Amino acid sequence: MTPYGSPDDDVAIIQVASIHLHPGFYREPKGQGSVNDIALLKLSRSLEFTMRRQKIRIPDYFPGWGHPGLTLDIAGWGQLAHNKLVSEDLRMYQAKDLPFRACFFNLAKNVTGICYEGPTNVGPCLGDSGAAVATRWNAQWVQVGVHIIGRPNCDYSLWSHAIGMDASQNCGFIEDTIGEPMCISLGKK
């Protein structure tokens, strides 16, 4: 992952008031992944939106999968490399959408998987699981996925694919937790 932006007056530091784990979160034995690996952070005060800090919505269905040129942004605070510390700065990885069959990972049967590929030697690392997978679609930011699995030992030297789950699977959890509609319709299923 590469640093996103640079420190300036647009940076907001806000305390977390509470953490809400997905009620169906489950970690597989022996580090073989997890299910429903997502949490919501309630901030102690409202975040002010700017040109660089914008609201993101979750589509109940994303019609853009397989669209030529679809670019995905994955942002997280995971490890900087295998056996390294986690990042203190939010970092971003830019990837392109791939057909799911291009990824060879096995997922739980109830997970709708997404597959993406970025540049060689760059990618999500340990601690980035649960990171948002976002894109701009029709002039708005939408979260289309949640990162699940990258390469073992963060080694993207030969194989730069990673996988996530379709974010629409979290609509119920998110809306129940925050008490307001967050998922939007972008088209017919």
Side-chain angles (χ1 to χ4, degrees):
M1 309 259 279
T2 56
Y4 182 72
S6 59
D8 59 25
D9 293 337
D10 203 30
V11 172
I13 299 174
I14 302 175
Q15 296 293 317
V16 173
S18 59
I19 300 172
H20 303 270
L21 297 175
H22 192 291
F25 173 75
Y26 172 75
R27 184 171 306 284
E28 298 287 341
K30 300 180 184 174
Q32 298 298 312
S34 54
V35 177
N36 296 315
D37 186 5
I38 185 172
L40 295 176
L41 307 177
K42 181 178 182 181
L43 303 178
S44 60
R45 63 180 172 85
S46 296
L47 178 67
E48 293 179 32
F49 295 107
T50 67
M51 288 299 292
R52 289 184 51 200
R53 195 182 315 135
Q54 298 179 16
K55 182 182 275 191
I56 191 167
R57 301 302 288 255
I58 299 172
D60 59 5
Y61 165 75
F62 182 59
W65 295 123
H67 188 275
L70 178 65
T71 301
L72 304 171
D73 293 330
I74 299 95
W77 286 275
Q79 290 181 350
L80 300 175
H82 182 63
N83 290 330
K84 300 287 184 183
L85 296 175
V86 294
S87 177
E88 290 185 14
D89 300 316
L90 180 63
R91 298 175 81 76
M92 184 185 77
Y93 163 75
Q94 201 163 60
K96 64 180 181 175
D97 167 43
L98 293 175
F100 187 67
R101 66 183 176 279
C103 287
F104 62 89
F105 304 97
N106 293 319
L107 288 177
K109 291 183 178 20
N110 61 342
V111 173
T112 302
I114 60 175
C115 177
Y116 35 91
E117 175 182 48
T120 304
N121 292 320
V122 178
C125 199
L126 300 171
D128 284 321
S129 179
V133 178
T135 193
R136 290 215 27 105
W137 188 259
N138 293 335
Q140 64 182 326
W141 279 102
V142 290
Q143 181 183 345
V144 295
V146 176
H147 174 70
I148 298 177
I149 301 171
R151 298 297 302 148
N153 299 325
C154 309
D155 180 6
Y156 289 89
S157 60
L158 298 174
W159 186 266
S160 57
H161 297 174
I163 64 168
M165 64 180 264
D166 189 312
S168 65
Q169 295 180 110
N170 292 309
C171 284
F173 162 64
I174 293 168
E175 291 179 343
D176 290 348
T177 302
I178 64 171
E180 66 179 74
M182 283 298 296
C183 296
I184 59 172
S185 178
L186 294 179
K188 295 181 181 181
K189 293 181 183 182

